[in-house]
Amino acid sequence: MKYHKIPDETIRRMPMYLRAFSMLKTEHQDTISSIHLAERLHLKPPQIRKDLSYFGAFGTRGIGYPVSSTAKQIRSILKLNITQKAALIGAGRLGAAIAEYPGFSMFGFDIAAIFDNEPSKIGTKVGKNVVEDISKISMIRDLDIHLAILAVPADAAQSVVDMLVGCHVKGILNLSPCYLVVPRSMKVVTIDLAMELGTLPYYM
Amino acid sequence: MKYHKIPDETIRRMPMYLRAFSMLKTEHQDTISSIHLAERLHLKPPQIRKDLSYFGAFGTRGIGYPVSSTAKQIRSILKLNITQKAALIGAGRLGAAIAEYPGFSMFGFDIAAIFDNEPSKIGTKVGKNVVEDISKISMIRDLDIHLAILAVPADAAQSVVDMLVGCHVKGILNLSPCYLVVPRSMKVVTIDLAMELGTLPYYM
DNA sequence: TTATGCTTGTGAATGTGAACACAAGCACGA
DNA sequence: TCGTGCTTGTGTTCACATTCACAAGCATAA
């Protein structure tokens, strides 16, 4: 499988695999076949095999994939083997929920700074961090943070993004219902809960 | 374009279009071409035209799409022309953020009930609703609610889903990092913020 | 009324990802 | 040491989605 371009869809599934392997590890299972993994994840076995094989031969024929070492491999493929620091912009209700969301640690993410523009929030503690004034956003560059999570109102999102560009941020998880203009070097993932919910009635 | 199966990807984009048309309406623009809409949404013009044409000919050649009536059409395609009631399970930080998220109203969603199992939360007001005990979950059936938003810890999610099945819920927006077993008649959309964030470092 | 300019709607072509089917190959036991 | 059973890795096939390219057709103005 050398000299192959890796499909975007495969990358999108890698965190799923990582989460599954991490969970299997806590269940003290030390090996899993593509068949059983596929059942858990609601996927087909060949897809899992192909996805993983893009990055090398992790499995053992007749046995399956070794849980612990495969997890480690995926972590390093996704560059999650080192702690990835992230900045959270917006300390409202949603920001607070994100700051205390336990799921990030499984992937090695660390919310290393929180910013807001509301004077009453600055200085208060949210999760393990003290909320900083948005005017100090260049801290992000000084702290060598390259990821940002955007939990601000939609009409403020673009102006925050413009600031983040100057801070050398390379990836943004955007939770505002809006489209962001960014330089090509920046990767944005936007999630709008209402939009996701919007498809469901169609299928009922 | 008659007798054609409508691609899932097209359905997934319809809420995007609806949001865009809704916003254009508030900007008092009464017509938009696929070219300009594509710029806003970071899509290609032919894709927009093809997507919309699956449901009929909404546009006017030489002019573009009439904002107001196209929005109305999409709303009725997605069954969002009538208010869709949704139940929110989990009144923690994330639940509270969702309950007050203003974006739902644009799609005609109405959070009609909130449930939790934490005694201290029951009876308190979150958003416009009073939190009910999870034991009263059959209210969902009585209120004729068919959508649920799940904002509970991952280890509680499956048991809540099993209850929702009995309440005739047909669609679930799941915010817990876990896979749910549901009857085939039920549609589930799962969002895990950590997983979405998980792909970003790969691209940096 | 007719010509012009612009944009839609859509068959066909292209591109991308999923699924299949089977050879390759490890582990375990006889 | 050899055979058996099971599962991986992958070339190929198939299905789905995107993009192209152009005819169809409305609106506006001469």
Side-chain angles (χ1 to χ4, degrees):
Chain A
M1 292 275 290
K2 274 202 163 176
Y3 310 121
H4 257 233
K5 191 192 158 287
I6 293 160
D8 281 346
E9 291 300 305
T10 293
I11 302 298
R12 230 178 41 74
R13 279 187 294 270
M14 295 307 283
M16 286 181 47
Y17 298 143
L18 177 52
R19 199 176 67 191
F21 278 104
S22 298
M23 284 175 65
L24 285 165
K25 198 171 175 184
T26 68
E27 294 166 20
H28 300 101
Q29 196 170 333
D30 54 356
T31 199
I32 189 163
S33 72
S34 60
I35 299 157
H36 293 121
L37 187 55
E39 262 168 31
R40 277 195 175 229
L41 302 182
H42 301 148
L43 298 171
K44 300 273 166 72
Q47 178 148 78
I48 292 175
R49 295 203 299 273
K50 185 147 269 214
D51 280 345
L52 294 178
S53 75
Y54 278 116
F55 301 99
F58 301 154
T60 307
R61 292 167 196 230
I63 301 295
Y65 295 91
V67 169
S68 181
S69 77
T70 307
K72 198 180 288 182
Q73 293 270 8
I74 297 175
R75 216 172 256 118
S76 101
I77 289 163
L78 291 174
K79 299 188 192 155
L80 298 175
N81 49 339
I82 48 168
T83 298
Q84 290 281 354
K85 287 185 281 188
L88 173 62
I89 325 293
R93 246 175 307 262
L94 182 57
I98 289 168
E100 312 218 1
Y101 180 51
F104 287 123
S105 60
M106 177 186 287
F107 291 97
F109 289 115
D110 172 39
I111 308 285
I114 304 183
F115 299 89
D116 205 298
N117 66 349
E118 172 73 25
S120 68
K121 285 187 192 128
I122 293 157
T124 64
K125 213 165 176 187
V126 170
K128 67 177 182 64
N129 294 276
V130 173
V131 178
E132 300 285 344
D133 191 305
I134 188 75
S135 67
K136 298 204 182 134
I137 200 165
S138 61
M139 279 174 65
I140 290 178
R141 191 180 49 219
D142 303 334
L143 289 169
D144 209 40
I145 297 173
H146 299 291
L147 287 171
I149 303 171
L150 225 61
V152 302
D155 51 20
Q158 184 64 54
S159 68
V160 170
V161 167
D162 296 341
M163 292 190 255
L164 291 173
V165 172
C167 298
H168 305 316
V169 166
K170 305 233 182 61
I172 292 180
L173 180 63
N174 173 35
L175 297 156
S176 317
C178 63
Y179 296 92
L180 302 174
V181 180
V182 296
R184 206 173 305 273
S185 62
M186 214 176 204
K187 177 98 180 165
V188 178
V189 174
T190 295
I191 298 176
D192 177 3
L193 294 184
M195 248 180 57
E196 304 288 340
L197 197 57
T199 59
L200 287 179
Y202 176 85
Y203 291 103
M204 326 200 304
Chain B
M1 293 275 290
K2 274 203 164 175
Y3 310 122
H4 257 232
K5 193 191 157 287
I6 293 160
D8 281 345
E9 291 300 305
T10 293
I11 302 298
R12 231 178 38 74
R13 279 187 295 269
M14 294 307 283
M16 287 181 46
Y17 299 143
L18 177 53
R19 199 176 69 190
F21 278 104
S22 297
M23 285 174 65
L24 285 164
K25 198 171 175 183
T26 68
E27 293 167 20
H28 299 101
Q29 198 170 333
D30 54 356
T31 201
I32 190 162
S33 71
S34 60
I35 299 157
H36 292 121
L37 187 55
E39 263 167 31
R40 278 195 173 228
L41 302 182
H42 302 148
L43 296 172
K44 300 273 167 73
Q47 178 148 77
I48 292 174
R49 295 203 298 273
K50 183 147 270 214
D51 281 345
L52 293 178
S53 75
Y54 278 116
F55 302 99
F58 300 155
T60 307
R61 291 166 198 233
I63 301 294
Y65 296 92
V67 169
S68 181
S69 77
T70 307
K72 198 179 289 182
Q73 292 271 9
I74 297 175
R75 217 173 253 117
S76 100
I77 289 161
L78 292 174
K79 300 190 191 153
L80 299 174
N81 49 340
I82 48 168
T83 298
Q84 291 281 354
K85 288 184 281 189
L88 173 63
I89 325 292
R93 247 175 307 261
L94 182 57
I98 289 168
E100 312 217 0
Y101 179 52
F104 287 123
S105 60
M106 177 185 288
F107 291 97
F109 289 114
D110 172 39
I111 308 285
I114 304 183
F115 299 89
D116 204 298
N117 66 349
E118 170 73 25
S120 68
K121 285 187 192 128
I122 293 157
T124 63
K125 212 166 177 188
V126 171
K128 67 178 182 62
N129 293 278
V130 172
V131 178
E132 300 287 343
D133 190 306
I134 187 76
S135 67
K136 298 201 183 136
I137 199 165
S138 61
M139 280 174 64
I140 290 178
R141 191 179 50 219
D142 302 334
L143 289 169
D144 209 39
I145 297 173
H146 299 291
L147 287 171
I149 304 172
L150 226 60
V152 302
D155 51 20
Q158 184 64 54
S159 67
V160 171
V161 167
D162 295 341
M163 292 190 257
L164 292 173
V165 172
C167 298
H168 305 316
V169 166
K170 305 234 183 61
I172 292 179
L173 180 64
N174 172 35
L175 297 155
S176 316
C178 62
Y179 296 91
L180 302 174
V181 179
V182 296
R184 205 171 305 274
S185 62
M186 215 175 204
K187 177 99 179 164
V188 178
V189 173
T190 296
I191 298 176
D192 177 3
L193 294 184
M195 248 180 55
E196 304 289 340
L197 197 57
T199 59
L200 286 179
Y202 176 85
Y203 290 102
M204 324 202 305

